Amino acid sequence: MSIVRGTMRPPLRPAALLLAAFLAGCSSSLMPPPQPEEIVVAPTPAPAPTGATCVAQAGDTIYVLARRCAVSVRALIDANGLEPPYQIRPGQALRLPAGGGAYTVTKGDT
């Protein structure tokens, strides 16, 4: 403790010092303005040619396959006459509905 004009003053606590330093560094003029996020729009797939198919892979569901082949789940089910529970097998080729899209897997796809 330090003595100031005959009175004792408690020392500053470390937490108070840290808070003061933090608040001093929070000036809005030091922070860069927020940047807008870049939006990337994928091109719309072309309609699938008549007779086009999409092949199921291990772990695929009808939903995953429909997204990969750029068609609606309902259109894929109807085009292949699938019935509940809509199970598909790896290697199974499903016909794409007319007007559906096809997708080619490229490096970096997940």
Side-chain angles (χ1 to χ4, degrees):
M1 295 193 173
S2 63
I3 299 175
V4 179
R5 290 189 188 178
T7 61
M8 294 183 70
R9 191 170 71 181
L12 290 176
R13 299 190 188 262
L17 291 174
L18 287 174
L19 179 61
F22 175 76
L23 292 175
C26 289
S27 171
S28 62
S29 64
L30 298 177
M31 296 177 61
Q35 299 296 316
E37 293 184 28
E38 183 177 337
I39 298 174
V40 178
V41 178
T44 304
T50 304
T53 60
C54 196
V55 179
Q57 299 172 6
D60 280 351
T61 63
I62 195 69
Y63 176 78
V64 169
L65 198 58
R67 287 195 47 131
R68 183 182 316 128
C69 298
V71 297
S72 73
V73 173
R74 175 52 45 195
L76 193 58
I77 289 169
D78 292 344
N80 291 279
L82 300 176
E83 301 209 4
Y86 309 117
Q87 292 181 338
I88 54 176
R89 301 174 314 280
Q92 181 178 355
L94 296 171
R95 289 183 305 277
L96 295 178
Y103 179 77
T104 302
V105 178
T106 59
K107 184 175 182 167
D109 284 350
T110 59

